[in-house]
Structure formats: C-alpha cells, structure tokens
Amino acid sequence: MSETTNLHPGLSVDCVIFGFHENELKVLMLKMKQMDKWALPGGFVNIKEDVDKEAINILQRRTGLKDIFLHQFHLFGNVSRNNQAYVDKLVKKGVIEPDMKEWFQQRFITVGYYALVEFANVQEPTPDNISDKCEWLPLTELPDLILDHSEIIHKAHQTLKTQLIYQPIGINLLPEKFTMPELQALYETLLEKELDRRNFRRKMLAYDILIQTDERRKGGAHKAPILYKFDKDKYHQAIEKGLKSGW
Amino acid sequence: MSETTNLHPGLSVDCVIFGFHENELKVLMLKMKQMDKWALPGGFVNIKEDVDKEAINILQRRTGLKDIFLHQFHLFGNVSRNNQAYVDKLVKKGVIEPDMKEWFQQRFITVGYYALVEFANVQEPTPDNISDKCEWLPLTELPDLILDHSEIIHKAHQTLKTQLIYQPIGINLLPEKFTMPELQALYETLLEKELDRRNFRRKMLAYDILIQTDERRKGGAHKAPILYKFDKDKYHQAIEKGLKSGW
DNA sequence: ATTCATTGTGTCGTATTGACACAAACATAA
DNA sequence: TTATGTTTGTGTCAATACGACACAATGAAT
C-alpha cells in the first residue's frame, strides 16, 4: 500500500487488544521490524470508510476475529506525539518505503480503541507490514514502545477500570462457560486488587446477568466449580441501563 | 482565515458548552448565516497546536472564559456525517468564500468536547465568521441543527449523566456560593429525574466536598437557605479517586 | 479412607438507601 | 403586629447492601 491518496490525512487508529490468560491481562503487540521496539496494532483510515469500521478491520486482520467488543476511548491529538527523527529512522532502516516518507512525516493524531477478546479464540496473531512479530505481552511488564503507545495503553486500562464500576464485563474475555472463580480472577486482574470470594459471588449474582448451568469444571484437583454463562439479553440490558444508578 | 495550509486536514473540533440557568440546562449555539439552522461552536486545528488546546481556544473565543472544565468525549468519524450538498449551499449563499470550498469539501471527522460553564459568567456570547448569532438554547427544545450536531449534543449529555455516577459536578456550572436546593436542581436537570430533597442533602454532604458558609441566600419568599461552596481540594480529589469504588 | 486445597453457602454487625414526619424560617398578606 | 403559606433544615425507621468472617461439601491425590 504505497497508495496514500485514499487515506484520511494525518489520522491513524490504534487498538489496545486485551486478552485474559493464566490470570494475567495481556495486550496484543507488534514487534517493529529492525528495531527493538513494540507497537500497538494500528492503521490508517480510508477516506471512504468510517473510523469505527477501520478499527474493526485492524482487529480482524491481526486476530482473525469478527463481532468483537470494541470501544473508542480517546483521541490522542498532542503535537508532541509526533516525532520526525523516528520517521527518518524507519526510512533508513527500510521499514518504510521512501515514497511513503512524506505520508509519515505528517502531523498525526490517533484514535484509541480497546477490544476485549477471548485469548484462546485468537489462533494466530498476524504481524503487519512494518512488524515481524505479533504476540501477547503481559500488561504489567511491557517493553519499550514506540511514540506514546505506553500512554495509550495506560489510558485504555484506566477507562476499562472505570467502566467496570457501572458496566458488566466478561463476554469476549472469557470462554462461553466459566466458573465464578475465573470471573473473579478477571475482575481482580483488571482492578489490580483482591476481592473477597464470597462477597464477589453474592454481588455478581445480584446483578442477575448470569445463568447457572448444571455442569461443573472437572479435572481440577479440588471441588469442581459450577459453570456459568452470561444471560446475553440481561447482560446487554445492564450495559444500557448501567449497574449502578448512583442517583 | 482563507489560509488553510496550516490546518490539520479533515479535522474539526466541536464544543458542547453546557450552562445552567433557571433550572434549565442550556447549550451555547451558533445561528448559521443565511440559514435557518444552528450549529455547535467549533473550529479547525492548527497543525502546530494540540487538539485539546484548540478546543480551549474555541471555548474562549465564544465565551471569553478561560480555565474551564473541558472534557473530550468522542470522535465522530462516520463517512455519512459529511455532506457535499451542504457545502455547495454554504458557498452559494456566500457563507463560505469560494476559495475555501475545496477545504470544506474534504471528508471531515470531528472531535467532541463538552464544557460546563457558569451561565452568568458568560457576558456576551460571540458568533464566529459563519454565524450571525450566538445564544443559549434550552437542551430540551433545540431547533434544526446542521450535520450530526444533534447526535453530538446527545452523546455529550449521555456522557455527562454517566460521569455523574462516579464524579462530583457543580464547579463551573454554579456560582461560587450556592444553596443545596440549587445544587439539587442541577442534578435533577442533568439526570432528568426528581430526587428526594432530604436524601439528596444527606448523600451530597457525605461526599465531604462541600463547605458550609455562615451566609444564607436572602430575598426569597421563604426560609433563607444556607450557602455552600465547594472544597476545591477535596472536590478534585474526588474526581481523581472517584466517588464510588464499585468494587 | 485420609488429606487438603478449593468451592458453595450462610451469618452477623455496620453502613447506605429510600420513604417519610416535623419543626424552623421568612416574605407576604391581613 | 400577627397570621399564612411555602420552603428549608433536621431526624427517624425499615429495608437493603456491604465487609468480614466460619463452616460444610467436594474431589483428586496420598
């Protein structure tokens, strides 16, 4: 794609794709070619395409997933986020073709989206044309990132934590059926704090968005926990109405 | 400003400026020249300027106010929000100069900001160069708006309502000193529902962000209510920490 | 059969919330 | 000066939600 005339000038989209695995929150990242730096999956916006749609496209190209929860959370529009030296470097290293140099030298703003995906559903994370790896990295120990991508991830995580106050979460981050301890582990990871097992169950059940199945997760070395699934109607209603009225 | 080369292409900023007066939530709107349509105060972004800063500039130019609460809430990026016929119309009516036509014909995305301002502080709302009036209009009975400005206002209001769950509000929307019933009226207006007088007071005081003065609002036909002011330190702490932990 | 970590259920005291009643204050009218 | 009407300040009470616990049930491993 050395053709940039169809792209919205100075505009990019970056996706913070969260996955949950082994009680750790992970982020899907791309390793830049020729550099020891990582970047968020992102891309540009076709003039004839909705910005939201391009975010969906990016998510799909990197993960193969469709119909995923994707939420626009912020526009990063500071002048300081642009870096000419960085573009020069990329051209010199051959990561960017010379005829694309002018495009990359524009002042860019980027729209941040975050997605929640079920870790196991992503079969093969796929690098794009400026990266050579696409991997899940733990949120807590991220390597050097390009530009302001650290800040973007941080803001995504903060937004997610705040949304947890008044919205349910779990669909897309957990498998179809899951146990109460698994759901709790998700919340504890997102919130970065421990919760009381019994109070968590009580409160979560009070939300009335779970359906108890008659199955249990076998194979663990201990008491087999009950499997639950989300009542999708009530779940989405809860997102609309909000869990807390507050007032 | 027929000079567009310094502007970020295809990017605009729109501000939903809320004011509170006579128990009504109002929005500062501009009446388009030569048309029976209204628009949000907005503008373009200089290449060398932060997007947030341009929003601040717009707010200042229309209201004369500085240091105001201003919150970026959404990027509107659908292709459908652009309208060529509308641009043609503006050029024909002489609202837009012909040499600006090309600029306006771009596909535009817009960043939405909302601001909360104390109604009385805005001395003279000032129109810009494509409008001939600048007035406060009640949120509940808005006239015909250009493009998707209705949607932008709606989204701003919704965001505001949601933020009310976990953040205090009032500074910038109320005078320095205010009564409890006035604060309650603000909440009721924002939330579009009535609240119990006594429970409201109890909960609000429990937030511990108010300072009771020893003055009362005189002149009303009834018992003179106590004047309160915000404890700005605690107020801003509450914004940081959030009023509800949720979990 | 015993062990042991984990899960399901329940209790108890406290804090928060929703629904009320009542007295005090203040301009206006008499 | 007093009475009136409405609004404001304060308090009560029951229902609910919440934080901190104890205990029994389960199931693979020993």
Side-chain angles (χ1 to χ4, degrees):
Chain A
M1 72 107 162
S2 290
E3 189 52 75
T4 62
T5 53
N6 291 326
L7 298 180
H8 197 118
L11 176 66
S12 62
V13 167
D14 284 304
C15 295
V16 183
I17 305 171
F18 290 111
F20 184 65
H21 187 56
E22 289 171 351
N23 285 359
E24 237 186 358
L25 202 56
K26 311 219 172 188
V27 189
L28 195 68
M29 301 293 301
L30 301 170
K31 157 87 181 42
M32 301 291 289
K33 282 179 185 167
Q34 316 281 353
M35 288 174 78
D36 198 21
K37 293 209 173 203
W38 294 71
L40 287 169
F44 303 117
V45 178
N46 193 293
I47 283 271
K48 297 194 189 319
E49 189 68 277
D50 294 347
V51 178
D52 286 351
K53 184 61 180 6
E54 290 290 16
I56 293 170
N57 292 343
I58 290 164
L59 181 61
Q60 217 228 315
R61 283 197 294 266
R62 296 300 138 248
T63 65
L65 296 176
K66 287 197 282 191
D67 300 323
I68 288 300
F69 177 88
L70 192 67
H71 189 82
Q72 182 207 304
F73 68 95
H74 198 70
L75 174 102
F76 297 85
N78 281 358
V79 174
S80 62
R81 64 181 305 279
N82 296 275
N83 186 336
Q84 292 299 338
Y86 165 65
V87 173
D88 288 345
K89 205 166 165 185
L90 288 180
V91 175
K92 265 185 202 152
K93 298 210 176 196
V95 179
I96 296 177
E97 297 169 39
D99 64 341
M100 288 286 284
K101 184 173 177 181
E102 197 182 350
W103 168 258
F104 277 94
Q105 274 177 337
Q106 294 176 91
R107 176 262 176 105
F108 266 93
I109 59 174
T110 198
V111 193
Y113 287 78
Y114 70 79
L116 305 174
V117 311
E118 187 188 334
F119 191 87
N121 279 0
V122 180
Q123 298 303 328
E124 37 175 325
T126 313
D128 61 13
N129 54 342
I130 59 166
S131 58
D132 51 20
K133 282 195 233 172
C134 183
E135 288 175 12
W136 292 103
L137 302 183
L139 182 63
T140 48
E141 31 187 305
L142 291 174
D144 240 14
L145 306 187
I146 64 166
L147 303 174
D148 55 351
H149 285 202
S150 262
E151 187 195 334
I152 295 174
I153 293 173
H154 181 74
K155 179 104 185 173
H157 186 205
Q158 283 303 316
T159 306
L160 190 51
K161 280 172 78 167
T162 303
Q163 296 220 336
L164 229 51
I165 298 174
Y166 57 94
Q167 285 195 351
I169 214 166
I171 286 185
N172 294 330
L173 266 173
L174 293 173
E176 170 85 16
K177 294 173 186 176
F178 52 88
T179 68
M180 194 61 78
E182 284 164 4
L183 182 59
Q184 182 180 342
L186 170 61
Y187 269 76
E188 289 182 337
T189 303
L190 287 170
L191 296 167
E192 298 168 301
K193 75 175 173 189
E194 297 193 348
L195 304 170
D196 183 275
R197 201 166 56 81
R198 294 149 286 190
N199 296 338
F200 176 84
R201 168 188 297 274
R202 179 180 39 179
K203 191 165 176 177
M204 187 56 70
L205 288 175
Y207 284 164
D208 192 31
I209 55 171
L210 295 180
I211 299 173
Q212 179 173 336
T213 72
D214 50 6
E215 301 168 68
R216 284 161 183 270
R217 163 112 48 233
K218 313 247 177 185
H222 308 289
K223 180 168 179 176
I226 299 170
L227 285 170
Y228 294 86
K229 56 184 177 182
F230 286 108
D231 183 326
K232 293 192 181 175
D233 283 350
K234 290 184 178 172
Y235 184 98
H236 289 108
Q237 268 178 27
I239 287 182
E240 294 291 318
K241 289 186 192 173
L243 291 171
K244 301 219 180 237
S245 61
W247 294 94
Chain B
M1 74 111 160
S2 288
E3 188 52 73
T4 61
T5 52
N6 291 325
L7 298 180
H8 197 119
L11 175 66
S12 62
V13 167
D14 284 304
C15 294
V16 183
I17 304 171
F18 290 111
F20 184 64
H21 188 58
E22 288 172 351
N23 286 0
E24 238 186 358
L25 201 57
K26 312 221 172 187
V27 189
L28 195 68
M29 302 291 302
L30 301 170
K31 157 85 181 40
M32 301 291 290
K33 283 179 186 167
Q34 316 281 352
M35 288 173 78
D36 199 21
K37 293 208 175 204
W38 294 71
L40 287 169
F44 303 118
V45 178
N46 193 293
I47 284 271
K48 298 195 191 317
E49 190 67 277
D50 295 347
V51 179
D52 286 351
K53 184 62 182 1
E54 290 290 16
I56 293 170
N57 292 344
I58 289 164
L59 181 62
Q60 217 228 314
R61 282 197 295 266
R62 296 299 136 249
T63 65
L65 296 176
K66 287 196 281 190
D67 301 322
I68 288 300
F69 177 87
L70 191 67
H71 188 81
Q72 182 208 305
F73 66 96
H74 198 70
L75 175 104
F76 297 85
N78 281 358
V79 173
S80 62
R81 64 182 304 280
N82 296 275
N83 186 337
Q84 291 300 340
Y86 165 64
V87 174
D88 288 344
K89 206 167 165 183
L90 288 181
V91 174
K92 263 184 202 154
K93 297 211 176 197
V95 179
I96 296 177
E97 296 169 41
D99 64 342
M100 289 285 285
K101 185 172 178 180
E102 197 181 349
W103 168 259
F104 278 94
Q105 274 178 337
Q106 294 176 89
R107 176 261 176 103
F108 266 92
I109 60 173
T110 197
V111 192
Y113 286 78
Y114 71 78
L116 306 175
V117 310
E118 187 188 333
F119 190 86
N121 279 358
V122 180
Q123 298 303 329
E124 37 175 325
T126 313
D128 61 12
N129 54 341
I130 59 167
S131 57
D132 51 20
K133 282 194 233 172
C134 184
E135 290 176 10
W136 293 102
L137 302 182
L139 182 63
T140 48
E141 30 186 307
L142 291 173
D144 240 15
L145 308 187
I146 64 166
L147 303 174
D148 56 350
H149 286 201
S150 261
E151 188 195 333
I152 294 174
I153 292 173
H154 181 74
K155 180 105 185 170
H157 187 205
Q158 284 303 316
T159 306
L160 190 51
K161 281 171 77 167
T162 303
Q163 297 220 338
L164 229 49
I165 298 174
Y166 57 93
Q167 285 194 350
I169 213 165
I171 285 186
N172 294 331
L173 266 173
L174 292 173
E176 171 85 15
K177 295 174 185 176
F178 51 88
T179 68
M180 194 60 78
E182 283 164 4
L183 183 58
Q184 181 179 344
L186 170 61
Y187 269 76
E188 288 183 337
T189 304
L190 287 170
L191 295 167
E192 298 168 301
K193 77 174 172 191
E194 297 193 348
L195 304 170
D196 183 274
R197 199 167 56 84
R198 294 149 287 190
N199 296 336
F200 176 83
R201 167 186 298 271
R202 179 178 42 179
K203 191 165 177 177
M204 186 56 70
L205 288 175
Y207 283 164
D208 193 29
I209 55 171
L210 295 181
I211 298 173
Q212 179 173 335
T213 72
D214 49 7
E215 301 168 67
R216 285 163 181 269
R217 163 116 40 238
K218 313 248 175 184
H222 308 291
K223 178 168 180 177
I226 299 169
L227 285 170
Y228 293 87
K229 57 183 178 181
F230 286 107
D231 183 327
K232 293 192 179 173
D233 282 350
K234 290 184 178 172
Y235 184 97
H236 288 107
Q237 270 178 26
I239 288 181
E240 294 292 318
K241 290 186 190 170
L243 292 171
K244 303 221 178 233
S245 62
W247 292 93

